[in-house]
Amino acid sequence: MQRPTAQQAQQVGQISDFAVHNINKIFKELCSVLPAWRNHLRTPDEFKATRASFTKGMMENGIISSEQVKRGLAKARSQESDFFPSVGKFCSWCKDDSQWQAAFQRMLIHESAHSLVEKKARAETAWQIRNSLNAADAEKKFKLAFEKYQGLDQQGLLTELVQLPPRSCVTEFDKQRNATIVRPEQFHENSVFARVASKGISHE
């Protein structure tokens, strides 16, 4: 198993600290604007377990700033339903939809991708979006892919594939090796090597 780099460990620490230090404030605000939380969190143990789940979910989804949390709480206050959200729903409220929406529009009008996250999301979804999805499903598919790669990028796990050089790199050793002609008589008669060498002679 590959060990995380120092930078990745530092980032995880920052996310963990933010989630732990802010989770009580977040829960207090959510409970004040969504009074039906009592129907979902009936016991102290359920409340504690859900709070721990929120902390872990925020860490996994890269919710690491006060701006993101304010966005999520504002979304909670705008809900018609007063039921308590799942951790996934709250994290989605915290995220900035304008990023994936702008990336989606650039793909539709064939503009260049602005980031590796955007490029990866396009590669995963473009064929289905063009050939088999309606507008609503296309947006949903791209949004999920974009947020997945965005999360990987925030964890330092998203990298570009190594590009091959524009020209082949042939060394002098390669040239000498390829110029060497192997003859059947160099090997025992009827051996595998002799038969292979004779086939090479027939193609000269």
Side-chain angles (χ1 to χ4, degrees), residues 75 95-109 118 122 139-140 142-143 146-147 150:
K75 187 75 172 179
K95 293 175 180 177
D96 185 1
D97 285 344
S98 65
Q99 292 186 37
W100 75 262
Q101 288 172 343
F104 183 69
Q105 290 302 316
R106 281 192 291 271
M107 182 181 69
L108 294 181
I109 62 178
E118 192 172 335
R122 286 188 186 190
E139 285 194 356
K140 182 177 179 180
F142 186 85
K143 179 178 184 288
F146 187 89
E147 290 180 347
Q150 195 174 46

Side-chain angles (χ1 to χ4, degrees), residues 6 10 12 17-18 22 42 48 88-89 92 143 151 163 168 194:
Q10 182 181 14
V12 170
D17 289 343
F18 180 85
N22 289 274
R42 296 184 177 89
K48 185 176 179 180
K89 175 65 71 175
S92 71
K143 179 178 184 288
Q163 299 295 317
S168 61

Side-chain angles (χ1 to χ4, degrees), residues 20-195:
V20 169
H21 292 160
N22 289 274
I23 195 65
N24 289 331
K25 296 178 183 178
I26 293 169
F27 255 58
K28 184 177 180 180
E29 179 73 13
L30 285 175
C31 290
S32 68
V33 298
L34 302 170
W37 68 269
R38 293 180 178 82
N39 299 326
H40 176 66
L41 308 174
R42 296 184 177 89
T43 67
D45 286 342
E46 288 180 346
F47 189 91
K48 185 176 179 180
T50 302
R51 186 174 58 184
S53 178
F54 264 66
T55 305
K56 184 177 180 181
M58 289 171 60
M59 291 164 56
E60 292 174 343
N61 284 273
I63 308 302
I64 58 174
S65 71
S66 298
E67 181 182 349
Q68 290 172 312
V69 171
K70 288 177 181 178
R71 187 184 299 119
L73 293 175
K75 187 75 172 179
R77 289 190 291 270
S78 69
Q79 298 302 300
E80 295 182 3
S81 170
D82 60 357
F83 285 97
F84 204 81
S86 66
V87 58
K89 175 65 71 175
F90 179 73
C91 288
S92 71
W93 290 348
C94 293
K95 293 175 180 177
D96 185 1
D97 285 344
S98 65
Q99 292 186 37
W100 75 262
Q101 288 172 343
F104 183 69
Q105 290 302 316
R106 281 192 291 271
M107 182 181 69
L108 294 181
I109 62 178
H110 305 290
E111 283 190 1
S112 299
H114 286 191
S115 66
L116 182 56
V117 170
E118 192 172 335
K119 186 187 296 186
K120 292 284 190 181
R122 286 188 186 190
E124 181 174 315
T125 62
W127 189 90
Q128 280 187 295
I129 288 173
R130 287 196 304 266
N131 295 281
S132 62
L133 298 178
N134 58 40
D137 288 340
E139 285 194 356
K140 182 177 179 180
K141 183 79 174 180
F142 186 85
K143 179 178 184 288
L144 290 174
F146 187 89
E147 290 180 347
K148 176 182 72 175
Y149 289 114
Q150 195 174 46
L152 291 173
D153 186 49
Q154 290 167 346
Q155 296 175 57
L157 302 176
L158 190 64
T159 57
E160 183 69 277
L161 293 176
V162 177
Q163 299 295 317
L164 294 175
R167 296 181 181 178
S168 61
C169 298
V170 180
T171 65
E172 287 300 319
F173 176 80
D174 295 325
K175 293 178 182 178
Q176 292 176 15
R177 180 186 59 188
N178 294 335
T180 301
I181 298 176
V182 180
R183 301 287 179 179
E185 55 267 23
Q186 295 177 242
F187 306 97
H188 292 294
E189 188 177 358
N190 295 325
S191 70
V192 173
F193 299 112
R195 292 198 296 271

